[in-house]
């Protein structure tokens, strides 16, 4: 059996592991339950990917991020490592095929979303899967005290009851001391080995800038920092507006958000990844699982909601170890928004029940309807139809999600699917009357062998190429066949999906854990105060503030954040001013303060005055009663 180092070199081409990677991998190979806290860019995914090549079974990777699944699976496949993922929007036949291949030993890694664990088909295959490792990415999501608690993650503990001897590796980039303990508790794991890399990023320069003209100030910052850049915004609309404004300033920038179609998103991401475009303006989900080591700067147009998010997002800069910059722009509006966020994030319980009832009506789900179904869900349309305040409604939806009622997926692609409803005799009759429809059906049957049995995912572009017609014509013919009830045609969809977990109840009978929500509100308030303190504290080193928040003792200033740089500059200025004053005042000479400040125009008058006062306090100078200063 080759060593981990040999496998690292063979598949990933690296000669050395990053800090703690080798120790974590060794612990996993020794069947130890492990929790690893590595900073963004610290190589968390390798800690479960590499061990999968050293056992004869499969590693199950649980992650909430569809983009991360797809990105990692594609990369693993390009390295010659067999991997697959099951995500929302896939047809039952595709899910069955992947699970069956996994049971037959076809994959070394299988990526699934946490809600997948609850489905009957997945549970049907579970006992026959040769699991050797359960890897949990974004493990902070399992903690109710974390910044992104997801109740689906609690179902992972059920896997442990089925696979009692299979080790667990939980990884995350940011977790406070309380969250770490809660992760261990919720996973119900004992004798866990915890690896915690320092949260310090020695190459990352933190800066906070007060700005009343953010567009102009960002443009100026981009002139100063010329490398690859991510700019984070809170809203999709803002990403579009800011990217257009930067283009107006002559800066090559592109937007990226879940509201764009997948082709445009992929195109923009590739242009940025390949350094054909320098700046990507994105919502906060961008960057997860994207391995681009040469990002020089991460800018925040809006102040992040909490320090966990800020740390993760800023950490996407400087993964190559070179000097990199994290810059936050803020003004009083940002502070006001954060101060008001607790009330926005936790609306009244009556409003939460109203949102539940409105969702059921919007999706036309009757009382008692069975769970585990996906529904198209457009938040803007939903709020408009039911006259709901969008931010409050969005938060109520999230709180109900955390109650385990549903899962909201922001961008799910459902491919076109077809099932033939007519029998062979009806198809023969159809073929004699409609030649074009007959050609289409014949072509589809040659390409897809399961059209008679269940809805089958099809590729409209491939069919069009075979028929030598436009994809739009294929779609038109499929719609015609659907209206004729010859086929069932599910058109391709892309957008938000709501996955319903429970049997629908009347809103008055809905049980809400009010105590838990009140505790979450208190925790949110504490996190909000922490980020406001970080932004407004003008005296404490930024790195010290971050590390203290995550429970890491750190007494030395980083020396390169804006606070440290400002203090160093002030110290340098003070030394220079003192020397200049002493040069003006030899032992035998005396002068009034106004004359000294006039003779030192190269320095700020306030700095000169403050230095004079300090020198008097220190006894270096003396001030006579008539306002004349001389040597002490």
């Amino acid at each position: 059996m080759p060593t981990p180092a040999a496998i690292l070199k063979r598949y990933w081409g690296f000669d050395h592991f990053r800090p703690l990677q080798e120790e974590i991998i060794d612990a996993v190979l020794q069947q130890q339950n492990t929790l690893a806290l590595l900073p963004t860019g610290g190589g968390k995914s390798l800690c479960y990917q590499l061990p999968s090549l050293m056992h004869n079974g499969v590693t199950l990777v649980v992650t909430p991020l569809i983009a991360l699944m797809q990105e990692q699976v594609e990369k693993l496949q390009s390295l010659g490592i067999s991997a697959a993922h099951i995500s929302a929007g896939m047809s039952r036949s595709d899910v069955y095929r992947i699970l069956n291949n996994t049971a037959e030993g076809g994959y070394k890694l299988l990526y699934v979303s946490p809600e997948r664990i609850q489905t009957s088909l997945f549970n049907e295959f579970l006992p026959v899967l040769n699991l050797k490792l359960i890897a949990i990415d974004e493990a902070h999501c399992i903690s109710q005290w974390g910044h992104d608690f997801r109740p689906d993650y609690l179902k992972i503990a059920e896997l442990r009851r089925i696979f009692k001897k299979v080790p667990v590796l939980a990884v995350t980039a940011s977790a406070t001391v309380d969250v770490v303990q809660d992760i261990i508790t919720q996973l119900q794991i004992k004798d866990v080995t915890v690896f915690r890399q320092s949260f310090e990023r020695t190459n990352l320069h933190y800066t906070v800038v007060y700005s009343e003209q953010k567009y102009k100030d960002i443009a100026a910052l981009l002139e100063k920092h010329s490398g690859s850049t991510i700019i984070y915004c809170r809203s999709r609309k803002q990403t579009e507006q800011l990217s257009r404004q930067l283009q107006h300033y002559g800066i090559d920038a592109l937007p990226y958000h879940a509201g764009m179609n997948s082709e445009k998103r992929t195109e923009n991401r590739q242009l940025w990844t390949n350094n054909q475009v320098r700046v990507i303006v994105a919502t906060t989900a961008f960057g997860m699982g994207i391995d681009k080591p040469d990002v020089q700067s991460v800018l925040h147009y809006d102040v992040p909601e909490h320090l966990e998010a800020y740390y993760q997002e800023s950490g996407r800069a400087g993964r190559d170890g070179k000097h990199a910059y994290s810059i936050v722009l803020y003004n009083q509006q940002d502070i006001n928004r954060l101060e008001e966020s607790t009330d926005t994030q936790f609306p009244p319980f009556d409003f939460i029940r109203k949102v539940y009832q409105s969702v059921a009506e919007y999706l036309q789900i009757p009382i008692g309807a069975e769970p585990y179904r996906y529904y198209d869900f457009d938040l803007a349309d939903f709020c408009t139809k039911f006259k709901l305040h969008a931010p409050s409604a969005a938060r109520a939806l999230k709180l109900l999600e955390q109650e385990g009622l549903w899962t909201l997926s922001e961008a799910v692609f459902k491919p076109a699917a077809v099932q033939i409803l007519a029998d062979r005799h009806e198809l023969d009759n159809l073929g004699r009357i409609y030649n074009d429809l007959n050609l289409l059906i014949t072509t589809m049957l040659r390409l897809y062998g399961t059209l008679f049995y269940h809805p089958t995912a099809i590729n409209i572009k491939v069919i069009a190429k075979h028929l030598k017609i436009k994809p739009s014509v294929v779609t038109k013919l499929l719609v015609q066949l659907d209206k004729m009830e010859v086929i069932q045609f599910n058109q391709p969809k892309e957008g938000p999906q709501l996955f319903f977990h429970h049997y629908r109840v009347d809103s008055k009978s809905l049980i809400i854990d009010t105590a838990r929500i009140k505790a979450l509100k208190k925790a949110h308030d504490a996190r909000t105060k922490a980020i406001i303190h970080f932004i407004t504290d003008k005296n404490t080193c930024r790195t010290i503030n971050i590390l203290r928040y995550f429970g890491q003792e750190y007494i030395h200033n980083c020396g390169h954040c804006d606070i440290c740089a400002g203090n160093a500059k002030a110290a340098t200025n003070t030394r220079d001013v003192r020397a200049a004053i002493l040069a003006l005042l030899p032992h035998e000479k005396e002068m009034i303060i106004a004359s000294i400040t006039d003779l030192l125009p190269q320095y700020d008058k306030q700095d000169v005055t403050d230095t004079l006062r300090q020198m008097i306090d220190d006894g270096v100078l003396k001030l006579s009663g008539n306002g004349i200063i001389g040597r002490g």
Side-chain angles (χ1 to χ4, degrees):
M1 172 69 69
T3 64
I7 293 176
L8 178 73
K9 179 65 176 176
R10 176 183 174 186
Y11 286 95
W12 284 272
F14 299 132
D15 294 316
H16 305 287
F17 287 99
R18 293 179 184 177
L20 289 185
Q21 279 184 328
E22 191 168 16
E23 293 88 336
I24 295 166
I25 290 169
D26 286 342
V28 170
L29 293 175
Q30 291 171 26
Q31 303 288 294
Q32 295 178 17
N33 292 319
T34 306
L35 172 59
L37 287 88
L38 298 177
T40 301
K44 296 183 292 297
S45 58
L46 185 81
C47 296
Y48 54 78
Q49 290 174 350
L50 192 149
S52 70
L53 302 177
M54 301 187 71
H55 56 63
N56 61 354
V58 62
T59 293
L60 181 70
V61 184
V62 182
T63 175
L65 304 167
I66 295 173
L68 179 68
M69 290 187 201
Q70 296 170 338
E71 194 78 23
Q72 289 200 8
V73 167
E74 288 173 8
K75 187 168 185 179
L76 288 167
Q77 291 174 345
S78 71
L79 296 174
I81 300 170
S82 56
H85 71 86
I86 299 174
S87 58
M90 296 177 70
S91 67
R92 182 181 174 85
S93 59
D94 282 339
V95 173
Y96 184 93
R97 173 179 53 79
I98 291 171
L99 287 171
N100 190 59
N101 288 345
T102 306
E104 295 293 330
Y107 306 116
K108 298 303 294 180
L109 296 105
L110 175 65
Y111 287 75
V112 299
S113 57
E115 69 263 21
R116 180 63 55 181
I117 297 169
Q118 304 172 57
T119 61
S120 56
L121 183 58
F122 185 81
N123 280 277
E124 181 183 325
F125 273 92
L126 259 184
V128 296
L129 298 182
N130 185 22
L131 285 195
K132 295 296 184 181
L133 175 64
I134 299 170
I136 304 160
D137 208 353
E138 306 294 329
H140 58 272
C141 294
I142 200 171
S143 171
Q144 60 182 324
W145 311 122
H147 61 277
D148 194 19
F149 169 63
R150 304 194 184 201
D152 295 320
Y153 262 67
L154 298 176
K155 302 295 181 182
I156 297 171
E158 295 179 10
L159 290 175
R160 303 243 331 113
R161 286 193 280 274
I162 300 173
F163 301 97
K164 295 179 181 178
K165 295 183 180 180
V166 175
V168 170
L169 169 61
V171 297
T172 182
S174 60
T176 62
V177 174
D178 290 342
V179 170
V180 168
Q181 187 54 53
D182 199 32
I183 291 171
I184 295 170
T185 301
Q186 298 296 346
L187 286 175
Q188 301 175 23
I189 51 179
K190 298 179 180 179
D191 303 320
V192 61
T193 303
V194 179
F195 293 92
R196 185 195 296 267
Q197 191 175 326
S198 171
F199 284 87
E200 182 184 8
R201 290 289 304 276
T202 56
N203 67 317
L204 191 54
H205 298 224
Y206 297 108
T207 298
V208 178
V209 177
Y210 185 87
S211 173
E212 292 291 354
Q213 301 182 55
K214 290 188 178 182
Y215 284 177
K216 289 184 178 179
D217 288 341
I218 281 181
L221 287 165
L222 291 173
E223 290 295 327
K224 182 179 179 182
H225 301 284
S226 58
S228 181
T229 300
I230 304 172
I231 303 176
Y232 283 115
C233 299
R234 291 181 66 246
S235 71
R236 299 173 182 180
K237 182 178 179 181
Q238 189 61 65
T239 66
E240 298 277 358
Q241 291 176 343
L242 180 55
S243 58
R244 283 196 299 269
Q245 190 64 43
L246 292 176
Q247 291 166 11
H248 175 73
Y249 286 133
I251 298 168
D252 54 337
L254 290 175
Y256 185 101
H257 59 76
M260 302 166 62
N261 67 62
S262 60
E263 290 183 359
K264 190 61 179 175
R265 265 202 323 270
T266 301
E267 179 187 350
N268 287 3
R269 188 186 71 194
Q270 286 299 121
L271 288 169
W272 176 77
T273 302
N274 298 333
N275 291 322
Q276 294 171 270
V277 169
R278 182 164 71 91
V279 179
I280 193 91
V281 185
T283 47
T284 54
F286 178 78
M288 294 189 182
I290 294 176
D291 185 15
K292 182 170 168 57
D294 63 340
V295 177
Q296 187 195 64
S297 303
V298 170
L299 277 64
H300 281 89
Y301 180 89
D302 303 289
V303 179
E305 297 292 322
H306 40 71
L307 276 170
E308 290 95 335
Y310 173 68
Y311 179 77
Q312 283 193 342
E313 291 155 15
S314 63
R316 289 167 190 149
R319 292 187 182 186
D320 55 7
K322 297 178 181 178
H323 286 301
Y325 303 89
S326 166
I327 304 169
V328 182
L329 283 81
Y330 85 102
N331 52 38
Q332 190 57 46
Q333 283 183 308
D334 291 289
I335 302 300
N336 294 344
R337 170 179 57 82
L338 289 168
E339 289 176 339
E340 296 165 2
S341 67
T342 300
D343 290 334
T344 303
Q345 295 283 310
F346 295 90
F349 292 114
D350 287 346
F351 180 80
I352 294 174
R353 291 182 185 279
K354 179 181 178 182
V355 168
Y356 176 85
Q357 181 66 30
S358 300
V359 167
E361 293 176 15
Y362 180 70
L363 300 178
Q364 298 182 357
I365 303 174
I367 291 175
E370 294 198 357
Y372 308 128
R373 282 192 59 190
Y374 281 98
Y375 298 88
D376 296 336
F377 189 80
D378 185 322
L379 177 60
D381 182 58
F382 168 69
C383 292
T384 299
K385 285 185 177 177
F386 289 88
K387 297 181 174 59
L388 297 170
H389 178 241
S392 298
R395 186 54 191 167
L397 287 164
K398 187 69 176 177
L399 289 170
L400 289 167
E401 179 178 9
Q402 292 178 348
E403 289 288 297
L405 301 180
W406 50 53
T407 298
L408 282 166
S409 301
E410 197 165 271
V412 176
F413 176 69
K414 296 180 70 174
V418 167
Q419 180 176 6
I420 295 177
L421 304 177
D423 58 27
R424 293 282 183 180
H425 177 69
E426 290 171 319
L427 291 181
D428 289 340
N429 288 336
L430 179 78
R432 284 191 288 269
I433 302 171
Y434 302 100
N435 183 57
D436 52 351
L437 298 178
N438 182 55
L439 280 173
L440 173 59
I441 290 174
T442 304
T443 301
M444 288 195 299
L445 285 170
R446 281 201 297 264
L447 292 171
Y448 310 100
T450 58
L451 293 176
F452 278 107
Y453 309 109
H454 52 71
T456 301
I458 63 169
N459 189 315
I460 291 176
K461 289 183 179 179
V462 170
I463 296 170
K465 189 173 181 180
H466 276 270
L467 292 172
K468 297 180 181 179
I469 58 178
K470 294 180 179 179
S472 59
V473 176
V474 173
T475 301
K476 184 178 179 180
L477 294 174
L478 288 169
V479 170
Q480 183 179 347
L481 285 167
D482 184 83
K483 289 180 179 178
M484 296 168 68
E485 298 186 355
V486 175
I487 67 170
Q488 176 186 320
F489 174 43
N490 300 322
Q491 297 204 40
K493 295 179 180 178
E494 182 177 17
Q497 296 273 303
L498 188 145
F499 182 67
F500 220 75
H501 289 313
H502 70 294
Y503 287 92
R504 151 94 156 93
V505 298
D506 183 79
S507 60
K508 294 178 183 177
S509 305
L510 182 67
I511 298 173
I512 299 175
D513 189 344
T514 56
R516 184 190 70 83
I517 292 176
K518 287 176 181 177
L520 285 174
K521 184 176 181 178
K522 184 178 179 180
H524 173 86
D525 190 55
R527 283 199 299 270
T528 299
K529 288 176 179 175
I531 188 70
I532 291 174
H533 173 73
F534 176 80
I535 294 299
T536 57
D537 185 355
K538 304 300 182 185
N539 300 309
T540 310
C541 166
R542 303 287 183 197
T543 297
I544 288 179
N545 256 330
I546 290 172
L547 298 189
R548 283 178 180 169
Y549 179 77
F550 288 112
Q552 182 178 339
E553 283 302 318
Y554 191 80
I555 58 174
H556 303 291
N557 292 335
C558 71
H560 52 65
C561 70
D562 59 332
I563 299 296
C564 292
N567 289 341
K569 182 179 179 182
T572 301
N573 284 347
T574 300
R575 287 195 298 270
D576 292 345
V577 172
R578 286 173 72 99
I581 290 171
L582 291 174
L584 285 175
L585 290 169
H587 286 284
E588 67 280 2
K589 190 171 182 180
E590 294 180 331
M591 299 178 69
I592 62 173
I593 293 177
S595 297
I596 295 173
T597 56
D598 288 343
L599 289 169
L600 296 174
Q602 67 271 39
Y603 301 111
D604 183 81
K605 286 187 177 183
Q606 189 62 50
D607 288 344
V608 175
T609 303
D610 290 344
T611 305
L612 283 168
R613 288 174 182 161
Q614 187 61 52
M615 292 173 75
I616 292 168
D617 291 343
D618 294 342
V620 177
L621 299 177
K622 63 180 180 181
L623 177 65
S624 63
N626 56 4
I628 296 177
I629 292 178
R631 288 292 189 108

